[in-house]
Amino acid sequence: MIRKKKRFSRPRKPFEGARIKSEDALVLQFGLKNKKEIWKTQAKVDYFRSRAKALAKSSLEDQEVLFGKLRAIGLKVNSIADVLGLKVEDLLNRRLPTVLVKKGLATKPKQARQFVTHKKVLINNQVVDSPSYLVPIEYESSIKVKVIKPASVKKVEKSQEAEAAMGEN
């Protein structure tokens, strides 16, 4: 079995106060599980920036392919400078739990994350259970949360089904 590489790099200074405070704020704001999720997102941003630097001297068609992919994710990118100016918050705003909170389907980011991990979120009638899923603009309108029935309603339905089964016998 081939071992997967880490998709992030840890901070060089593990006990840097300003960085820790800013990461704590991001964890609370976006309902993240741990800071590793911030580091993974930072790695994605760094990848987009390195692609933009590599494409800086290439043709506009090649650049437009990258811009199209980033626009499909929902990032406002029209030039190399826009890609180089991307922040971690830009990508974190496109994650599924954050989109659920913005649409009003969940009240808090932690609740939205719980909906996602408990397989209560549908995109195009398919269950998505990854909180790190970056929601494309085209699928944003097709996000639904499964209807959750209260326990009392479930008990009433079960008792009605039992009575119906008894009546058949």
Side-chain angles (χ1 to χ4, degrees):
M1 183 170 194
I2 299 174
R3 185 178 187 280
K4 290 184 179 179
K5 295 180 182 179
K6 286 194 301 185
R7 295 190 173 122
F8 64 95
S9 61
R10 293 180 180 273
R12 292 187 182 177
K13 296 181 181 179
F15 302 108
E16 188 177 10
R19 180 191 49 80
I20 291 172
K21 286 181 182 177
S22 67
E23 287 177 349
D24 288 342
L26 288 176
V27 167
L28 286 175
Q29 180 183 355
F30 294 104
L32 304 176
K33 178 182 171 188
N34 53 32
K35 293 181 182 178
K36 189 187 292 187
E37 292 184 344
I38 295 173
W39 302 337
K40 286 181 181 180
T41 307
Q42 181 63 48
K44 283 183 186 178
V45 171
D46 292 342
Y47 170 74
F48 293 146
R49 286 180 184 159
S50 66
R51 289 285 300 141
K53 288 176 190 175
L55 293 173
K57 295 183 180 179
S58 64
S59 66
L60 286 175
E61 293 83 27
D62 295 338
Q63 292 178 8
E64 200 56 42
V65 170
L66 176 66
F67 299 155
K69 287 181 181 179
L70 294 177
R71 278 190 220 114
I73 293 173
L75 302 174
K76 294 176 179 76
V77 176
N78 294 318
S79 67
I80 297 288
D82 293 339
V83 178
L84 295 176
L86 284 177
K87 298 177 187 169
V88 175
E89 293 86 359
D90 297 333
L91 272 183
L92 289 175
N93 280 324
R94 296 305 308 159
R95 288 170 53 108
L96 184 54
T98 309
V99 173
L100 284 173
V101 172
K102 285 184 180 176
K103 286 187 72 172
L105 298 173
T107 56
K108 298 177 184 176
K110 288 284 188 182
Q111 181 188 30
R113 183 184 182 90
Q114 187 178 34
F115 284 163
V116 174
T117 56
H118 289 195
K119 300 180 181 178
K120 303 291 183 194
V121 178
L122 302 171
I123 297 178
N124 278 353
N125 294 324
Q126 292 184 334
V127 174
V128 178
D129 62 348
S130 175
S132 63
Y133 179 76
L134 295 176
V135 180
I137 292 280
E138 62 187 76
Y139 296 141
E140 195 168 335
S141 61
S142 66
I143 296 175
K144 298 180 209 165
V145 176
K146 288 183 185 176
V147 177
I148 303 167
K149 296 181 182 178
S152 60
V153 174
K154 290 180 184 177
K155 288 179 184 176
V156 170
E157 287 178 355
K158 285 184 181 180
S159 64
Q160 289 174 350
E161 290 173 6
E163 288 174 8
M166 289 254 197
E168 291 175 4
N169 291 334

